[in-house]
Amino acid sequence: MICDLTARYIFLTFHNKAGCRSHSRFKQRIAMSPLPAFSASGVMAAAASGAEGFITSHGGDIDRIAGRAGLAPGKLALPTDMLNLNAYCRLFTEAAKETQNGNLGLWFGQQFQPQTLGLIGFVALLSPTVKDAIHNLATHFIYHQSCTHTRLVRQGNLLRLEYAITDPTITERRQDAELTLGMFCNVLRYALGPTWQPEEVHFAHAQPEQAHEHQDAFQAAIHFDRPTNALIFRDVGLECAMPDAQPHTLEIVKASLISLSRNGYSTPHPHISFKEHVLLALEEILPEGGHLTQLSARMNMPVWTLQRRLAYLGISYSDLVETTRYKQACVFLQQPENDISQIARLLGYSETSAFSRAFRKWSGVSPRTWRQQYMPAPSFI
Protein backbone atom coordinates (compact mmCIF):
# COMPACT_ATOMS: atom_id res chain seq x y z
CA MET A 1 0.00 0.00 0.00
CA ILE A 2 2.81 2.43 0.90
CA CYS A 3 4.58 1.60 -2.37
CA ASP A 4 1.42 2.26 -4.42
CA LEU A 5 0.83 5.59 -2.69
CA THR A 6 4.45 6.60 -3.18
CA ALA A 7 4.31 5.85 -6.91
CA ARG A 8 1.13 7.92 -7.19
CA TYR A 9 2.72 10.95 -5.54
CA ILE A 10 5.83 10.73 -7.73
CA PHE A 11 3.62 10.54 -10.82
CA LEU A 12 1.60 13.54 -9.68
CA THR A 13 4.79 15.50 -9.02
CA PHE A 14 6.08 15.30 -12.57
CA HIS A 15 2.64 15.26 -14.22
CA ASN A 16 1.83 18.51 -12.46
CA LYS A 17 5.13 20.12 -13.54
CA ALA A 18 4.66 19.07 -17.18
CA GLY A 19 1.06 20.15 -17.30
CA CYS A 20 1.45 23.55 -15.70
CA ARG A 21 2.66 25.16 -18.94
CA SER A 22 -0.02 23.72 -21.18
CA HIS A 23 -2.81 24.77 -18.81
CA SER A 24 -1.44 28.20 -17.86
CA ARG A 25 -3.81 30.11 -20.13
CA PHE A 26 -6.77 28.14 -18.84
CA LYS A 27 -5.80 28.86 -15.23
CA GLN A 28 -5.59 32.58 -15.97
CA ARG A 29 -9.26 32.57 -16.96
CA ILE A 30 -10.48 31.02 -13.68
CA ALA A 31 -12.57 33.54 -11.73
CA MET A 32 -11.09 34.09 -8.29
CA SER A 33 -12.15 36.29 -5.40
CA PRO A 34 -9.79 39.18 -4.56
CA LEU A 35 -6.93 37.98 -2.39
CA PRO A 36 -5.39 39.76 0.58
CA ALA A 37 -1.79 40.90 0.27
CA PHE A 38 -0.15 37.58 1.13
CA SER A 39 3.45 36.48 1.25
CA ALA A 40 4.89 34.36 -1.53
CA SER A 41 5.83 31.50 0.84
CA GLY A 42 4.36 28.16 -0.14
CA VAL A 43 3.33 24.78 1.20
CA MET A 44 2.28 21.65 -0.64
CA ALA A 45 -1.47 21.09 -0.65
CA ALA A 46 -0.93 17.64 0.87
CA ALA A 47 -0.60 19.48 4.21
CA ALA A 48 -4.32 20.23 3.95
CA SER A 49 -5.40 16.68 3.06
CA GLY A 50 -8.75 16.00 4.70
CA ALA A 51 -9.17 19.61 5.84
CA GLU A 52 -12.40 20.13 3.92
CA GLY A 53 -14.11 17.14 5.53
CA PHE A 54 -12.67 17.87 8.97
CA ILE A 55 -13.78 21.51 8.98
CA THR A 56 -17.20 20.60 7.59
CA SER A 57 -17.67 17.94 10.27
CA HIS A 58 -17.10 20.64 12.89
CA GLY A 59 -19.82 22.85 11.44
CA GLY A 60 -17.75 25.08 9.16
CA ASP A 61 -18.70 26.23 5.67
CA ILE A 62 -15.55 25.29 3.77
CA ASP A 63 -16.30 27.50 0.74
CA ARG A 64 -16.84 30.59 2.87
CA ILE A 65 -13.81 29.85 5.06
CA ALA A 66 -11.54 29.17 2.07
CA GLY A 67 -12.73 32.39 0.44
CA ARG A 68 -11.87 34.42 3.54
CA ALA A 69 -8.46 32.77 3.65
CA GLY A 70 -7.82 33.60 0.00
CA LEU A 71 -7.82 30.04 -1.34
CA ALA A 72 -9.45 29.38 -4.70
CA PRO A 73 -12.14 26.65 -4.86
CA GLY A 74 -10.61 23.25 -5.58
CA LYS A 75 -7.10 24.42 -4.70
CA LEU A 76 -6.81 21.68 -2.06
CA ALA A 77 -7.49 18.84 -4.50
CA LEU A 78 -4.01 18.08 -5.88
CA PRO A 79 -1.53 17.14 -3.12
CA THR A 80 1.53 18.26 -5.12
CA ASP A 81 0.00 21.65 -5.94
CA MET A 82 1.29 24.71 -4.12
CA LEU A 83 -0.72 26.72 -1.61
CA ASN A 84 0.18 30.17 -0.42
CA LEU A 85 1.50 29.57 3.11
CA ASN A 86 -0.24 32.62 4.55
CA ALA A 87 -3.54 31.48 3.02
CA TYR A 88 -2.99 27.98 4.43
CA CYS A 89 -2.45 29.38 7.94
CA ARG A 90 -5.48 31.65 7.57
CA LEU A 91 -7.61 28.68 6.48
CA PHE A 92 -7.35 27.14 9.94
CA THR A 93 -7.54 30.50 11.72
CA GLU A 94 -10.78 31.33 9.90
CA ALA A 95 -12.10 27.79 10.48
CA ALA A 96 -11.42 28.10 14.22
CA LYS A 97 -13.32 31.40 14.32
CA GLU A 98 -16.32 30.15 12.37
CA THR A 99 -16.66 26.87 14.26
CA GLN A 100 -15.92 28.62 17.58
CA ASN A 101 -13.38 25.89 18.26
CA GLY A 102 -10.07 27.52 19.15
CA ASN A 103 -8.35 24.13 19.22
CA LEU A 104 -9.44 23.07 15.75
CA GLY A 105 -5.88 23.05 14.41
CA LEU A 106 -4.69 21.07 17.42
CA TRP A 107 -7.16 18.25 16.78
CA PHE A 108 -6.73 18.34 12.99
CA GLY A 109 -3.04 17.64 13.53
CA GLN A 110 -3.72 14.83 15.99
CA GLN A 111 -5.81 12.87 13.49
CA PHE A 112 -3.52 13.60 10.51
CA GLN A 113 -1.64 10.48 9.41
CA PRO A 114 1.83 10.70 7.78
CA GLN A 115 0.69 8.70 4.72
CA THR A 116 -1.47 11.66 3.69
CA LEU A 117 1.26 14.29 4.08
CA GLY A 118 2.50 13.74 0.54
CA LEU A 119 6.14 13.48 -0.46
CA ILE A 120 7.54 14.77 2.85
CA GLY A 121 5.46 12.15 4.66
CA PHE A 122 7.00 9.40 2.56
CA VAL A 123 10.47 10.84 3.14
CA ALA A 124 9.90 9.93 6.79
CA LEU A 125 7.99 6.67 6.28
CA LEU A 126 10.49 5.15 3.83
CA SER A 127 13.55 5.95 5.99
CA PRO A 128 15.57 3.00 7.39
CA THR A 129 15.13 3.79 11.11
CA VAL A 130 13.01 6.05 13.30
CA LYS A 131 16.01 8.30 13.92
CA ASP A 132 16.61 8.55 10.17
CA ALA A 133 12.93 9.39 9.68
CA ILE A 134 13.09 12.30 12.13
CA HIS A 135 16.37 13.54 10.66
CA ASN A 136 15.04 13.38 7.09
CA LEU A 137 11.83 15.10 8.13
CA ALA A 138 13.79 17.96 9.71
CA THR A 139 16.26 18.40 6.84
CA HIS A 140 13.77 18.06 3.96
CA PHE A 141 10.76 19.91 5.37
CA ILE A 142 12.03 23.16 3.76
CA TYR A 143 11.31 21.59 0.34
CA HIS A 144 7.74 20.82 1.42
CA GLN A 145 7.17 24.26 2.96
CA SER A 146 9.28 27.31 2.18
CA CYS A 147 10.35 30.05 4.62
CA THR A 148 10.34 27.51 7.43
CA HIS A 149 12.84 26.52 10.13
CA THR A 150 13.04 22.85 11.15
CA ARG A 151 15.94 21.19 12.90
CA LEU A 152 16.75 18.32 15.22
CA VAL A 153 18.88 19.24 18.25
CA ARG A 154 20.35 16.97 20.92
CA GLN A 155 20.11 18.06 24.58
CA GLY A 156 21.78 15.35 26.66
CA ASN A 157 19.59 12.26 26.43
CA LEU A 158 16.76 14.29 24.91
CA LEU A 159 16.09 15.32 21.32
CA ARG A 160 14.36 18.53 20.29
CA LEU A 161 12.49 18.73 16.96
CA GLU A 162 11.95 22.43 16.26
CA TYR A 163 9.49 24.06 13.87
CA ALA A 164 8.82 27.70 13.00
CA ILE A 165 7.66 29.78 10.05
CA THR A 166 10.31 32.40 9.29
CA ASP A 167 8.32 34.59 6.88
CA PRO A 168 7.81 37.84 8.87
CA THR A 169 4.67 38.70 6.89
CA ILE A 170 2.82 35.68 8.32
CA THR A 171 1.45 36.55 11.76
CA GLU A 172 -1.42 34.09 12.30
CA ARG A 173 0.63 31.05 13.27
CA ARG A 174 -1.01 29.42 16.26
CA GLN A 175 -3.28 26.94 14.43
CA ASP A 176 -0.47 25.95 12.06
CA ALA A 177 2.02 25.38 14.89
CA GLU A 178 -0.37 23.16 16.84
CA LEU A 179 -1.40 21.05 13.86
CA THR A 180 2.17 20.70 12.55
CA LEU A 181 3.57 19.42 15.86
CA GLY A 182 0.66 16.96 15.90
CA MET A 183 1.69 15.76 12.44
CA PHE A 184 5.30 15.36 13.60
CA CYS A 185 4.13 13.47 16.67
CA ASN A 186 2.15 11.04 14.52
CA VAL A 187 5.26 10.12 12.52
CA LEU A 188 6.80 8.84 15.75
CA ARG A 189 3.56 7.16 16.83
CA TYR A 190 3.35 5.41 13.47
CA ALA A 191 6.71 3.75 14.14
CA LEU A 192 6.74 3.40 17.93
CA GLY A 193 3.07 2.74 18.62
CA PRO A 194 -0.02 4.89 19.32
CA THR A 195 0.86 5.29 23.01
CA TRP A 196 4.20 7.00 22.30
CA GLN A 197 4.37 10.46 23.85
CA PRO A 198 6.95 13.26 24.02
CA GLU A 199 8.37 14.55 27.29
CA GLU A 200 7.41 18.17 26.58
CA VAL A 201 5.78 20.24 23.85
CA HIS A 202 6.76 23.89 23.39
CA PHE A 203 4.74 26.56 21.58
CA ALA A 204 5.89 30.06 20.67
CA HIS A 205 2.41 31.56 21.06
CA ALA A 206 0.73 32.58 24.30
CA GLN A 207 -1.38 30.14 26.28
CA PRO A 208 -4.90 30.00 24.80
CA GLU A 209 -8.16 29.19 26.50
CA GLN A 210 -8.89 25.48 27.03
CA ALA A 211 -5.14 24.78 27.15
CA HIS A 212 -5.88 21.55 29.05
CA GLU A 213 -6.82 20.02 25.67
CA HIS A 214 -3.20 20.34 24.55
CA GLN A 215 -2.03 18.09 27.38
CA ASP A 216 -4.81 15.63 26.53
CA ALA A 217 -3.74 15.62 22.87
CA PHE A 218 0.01 15.17 23.35
CA GLN A 219 -0.03 13.42 26.76
CA ALA A 220 2.93 15.57 27.75
CA ALA A 221 3.85 18.72 29.64
CA ILE A 222 2.90 21.77 27.55
CA HIS A 223 4.75 25.10 27.66
CA PHE A 224 3.70 28.31 25.91
CA ASP A 225 5.56 31.56 25.16
CA ARG A 226 8.73 29.63 24.25
CA PRO A 227 11.37 30.79 21.73
CA THR A 228 10.13 28.30 19.14
CA ASN A 229 7.71 25.42 18.64
CA ALA A 230 9.24 22.06 19.47
CA LEU A 231 8.70 18.43 20.45
CA ILE A 232 11.06 17.30 23.24
CA PHE A 233 11.46 13.54 23.51
CA ARG A 234 13.82 10.85 24.79
CA ASP A 235 16.35 9.14 22.56
CA VAL A 236 14.80 5.75 23.23
CA GLY A 237 13.77 3.21 20.60
CA LEU A 238 14.86 5.43 17.74
CA GLU A 239 17.17 2.79 16.26
CA CYS A 240 14.11 0.65 15.48
CA ALA A 241 13.42 0.03 11.80
CA MET A 242 10.60 1.99 10.20
CA PRO A 243 7.72 -0.39 9.32
CA ASP A 244 7.77 0.57 5.63
CA ALA A 245 11.48 1.26 5.13
CA GLN A 246 12.48 1.30 1.44
CA PRO A 247 15.89 3.01 1.07
CA HIS A 248 15.98 2.92 -2.74
CA THR A 249 12.49 4.36 -3.13
CA LEU A 250 13.35 6.93 -0.47
CA GLU A 251 16.07 8.43 -2.68
CA ILE A 252 13.59 8.77 -5.57
CA VAL A 253 11.06 10.48 -3.30
CA LYS A 254 13.70 12.87 -1.96
CA ALA A 255 14.76 13.78 -5.48
CA SER A 256 11.13 14.30 -6.52
CA LEU A 257 10.49 16.60 -3.56
CA ILE A 258 13.63 18.66 -4.18
CA SER A 259 12.92 18.84 -7.92
CA LEU A 260 9.40 20.12 -7.33
CA SER A 261 10.71 22.71 -4.90
CA ARG A 262 13.33 24.00 -7.32
CA ASN A 263 10.85 24.35 -10.16
CA GLY A 264 9.08 27.37 -8.83
CA TYR A 265 7.73 25.96 -5.60
CA SER A 266 9.71 28.16 -3.23
CA THR A 267 9.55 31.87 -4.04
CA PRO A 268 11.10 34.61 -1.94
CA HIS A 269 8.87 37.44 -0.81
CA PRO A 270 9.25 40.37 -3.23
CA HIS A 271 9.11 42.98 -0.46
CA ILE A 272 11.96 41.53 1.59
CA SER A 273 15.41 42.81 0.67
CA PHE A 274 18.31 40.53 -0.19
CA LYS A 275 20.03 41.51 3.07
CA GLU A 276 16.91 40.57 5.06
CA HIS A 277 16.82 37.18 3.31
CA VAL A 278 20.46 36.68 4.26
CA LEU A 279 19.78 37.60 7.90
CA LEU A 280 16.81 35.21 8.14
CA ALA A 281 18.84 32.35 6.67
CA LEU A 282 21.85 33.18 8.83
CA GLU A 283 19.81 32.98 12.03
CA GLU A 284 18.73 29.48 11.01
CA ILE A 285 22.24 28.15 10.31
CA LEU A 286 24.03 29.70 13.31
CA PRO A 287 23.67 26.52 15.44
CA GLU A 288 25.54 24.61 12.70
CA GLY A 289 28.37 27.16 12.69
CA GLY A 290 27.14 29.94 10.43
CA HIS A 291 29.71 29.24 7.68
CA LEU A 292 29.37 30.86 4.27
CA THR A 293 29.05 27.48 2.54
CA GLN A 294 26.14 26.59 4.83
CA LEU A 295 24.44 29.88 4.05
CA SER A 296 24.84 29.41 0.30
CA ALA A 297 23.30 25.94 0.57
CA ARG A 298 20.44 27.28 2.70
CA MET A 299 19.72 30.02 0.15
CA ASN A 300 20.23 27.65 -2.81
CA MET A 301 22.81 30.06 -4.23
CA PRO A 302 26.45 29.45 -5.32
CA VAL A 303 29.04 30.75 -2.86
CA TRP A 304 30.63 33.08 -5.41
CA THR A 305 27.25 34.63 -6.27
CA LEU A 306 26.49 35.17 -2.61
CA GLN A 307 29.91 36.75 -2.04
CA ARG A 308 29.49 39.01 -5.06
CA ARG A 309 26.06 40.26 -3.97
CA LEU A 310 27.24 40.93 -0.41
CA ALA A 311 30.30 42.79 -1.72
CA TYR A 312 28.07 44.90 -3.98
CA LEU A 313 26.12 45.98 -0.89
CA GLY A 314 29.34 46.68 0.99
CA ILE A 315 28.61 43.96 3.54
CA SER A 316 31.35 41.99 5.28
CA TYR A 317 30.10 38.45 5.96
CA SER A 318 32.19 38.07 9.11
CA ASP A 319 30.78 41.37 10.47
CA LEU A 320 27.28 40.19 9.60
CA VAL A 321 27.81 36.96 11.53
CA GLU A 322 29.12 38.85 14.57
CA THR A 323 26.22 41.32 14.52
CA THR A 324 23.66 38.53 14.17
CA ARG A 325 25.23 36.50 16.96
CA TYR A 326 25.19 39.51 19.29
CA LYS A 327 21.56 40.28 18.51
CA GLN A 328 20.50 36.65 18.98
CA ALA A 329 22.57 36.35 22.17
CA CYS A 330 20.70 39.29 23.70
CA VAL A 331 17.37 37.68 22.79
CA PHE A 332 18.35 34.30 24.25
CA LEU A 333 19.79 35.83 27.43
CA GLN A 334 16.40 37.38 28.20
CA GLN A 335 14.81 33.91 28.17
CA PRO A 336 15.48 32.38 31.61
CA GLU A 337 15.08 28.79 30.39
CA ASN A 338 18.26 29.13 28.29
CA ASP A 339 21.49 28.54 30.21
CA ILE A 340 24.76 30.08 29.00
CA SER A 341 26.15 26.84 27.55
CA GLN A 342 22.93 26.22 25.61
CA ILE A 343 23.04 29.76 24.18
CA ALA A 344 26.63 29.18 23.09
CA ARG A 345 25.54 26.08 21.13
CA LEU A 346 22.58 27.91 19.58
CA LEU A 347 24.99 30.55 18.30
CA GLY A 348 27.38 27.99 16.81
CA TYR A 349 30.13 28.01 19.45
CA SER A 350 31.67 24.67 20.35
CA GLU A 351 32.85 26.02 23.72
CA THR A 352 31.05 28.23 26.22
CA SER A 353 34.28 30.09 26.96
CA ALA A 354 34.57 31.20 23.32
CA PHE A 355 31.05 32.62 23.45
CA SER A 356 31.76 34.41 26.74
CA ARG A 357 34.88 36.06 25.31
CA ALA A 358 33.01 37.16 22.19
CA PHE A 359 30.10 38.56 24.19
CA ARG A 360 32.42 40.51 26.47
CA LYS A 361 34.03 42.01 23.35
CA TRP A 362 30.61 43.03 22.00
CA SER A 363 29.04 44.40 25.17
CA GLY A 364 31.88 45.02 27.61
CA VAL A 365 30.43 42.62 30.18
CA SER A 366 30.04 38.86 30.58
CA PRO A 367 26.82 37.12 29.46
CA ARG A 368 25.91 36.43 33.10
CA THR A 369 26.38 40.09 34.10
CA TRP A 370 24.40 41.29 31.08
CA ARG A 371 21.55 38.91 31.98
CA GLN A 372 21.44 40.24 35.54
CA GLN A 373 21.32 43.82 34.30
CA TYR A 374 18.83 43.47 31.46
CA MET A 375 16.63 40.47 32.31
CA PRO A 376 13.00 41.63 32.31
CA ALA A 377 11.40 41.60 35.75
CA PRO A 378 9.18 38.53 36.29
CA SER A 379 5.44 39.03 35.95
CA PHE A 380 3.18 37.75 38.71
CA ILE A 381 -0.07 38.68 37.00
Side-chain angles (χ1 to χ4, degrees), residues 293-346:
T293 53
Q294 295 170 326
L295 182 66
S296 69
R298 186 66 172 173
M299 298 185 69
N300 195 24
M301 180 181 296
V303 172
W304 68 269
T305 302
L306 181 56
Q307 288 176 316
R308 177 174 54 82
R309 295 190 65 176
L310 289 173
Y312 178 79
L313 295 172
I315 297 173
S316 162
Y317 184 67
S318 59
D319 290 345
L320 198 64
V321 171
E322 292 291 290
T323 302
T324 304
R325 277 177 163 164
Y326 182 37
K327 185 190 76 171
Q328 290 294 91
C330 293
V331 172
F332 292 142
L333 284 169
Q334 294 183 67
Q335 298 165 350
E337 67 271 16
N338 295 325
D339 60 40
I340 305 299
S341 61
Q342 181 182 4
I343 294 173
R345 291 193 298 272
L346 290 171

Side-chain angles (χ1 to χ4, degrees), residues 32-42 65-72 75 82-94 147 167-172 267-272:
M32 295 178 63
S33 58
L35 300 182
F38 288 143
S39 75
S41 308
I65 291 169
R68 289 175 182 166
L71 286 172
K75 190 65 174 175
M82 184 187 75
L83 302 180
N84 181 285
L85 183 55
N86 200 350
Y88 171 79
C89 293
R90 283 175 59 90
L91 175 71
F92 292 97
T93 300
E94 293 295 332
C147 293
D167 186 336
T169 66
I170 300 177
T171 57
E172 298 178 347
T267 308
H269 191 277
H271 303 300
I272 298 178

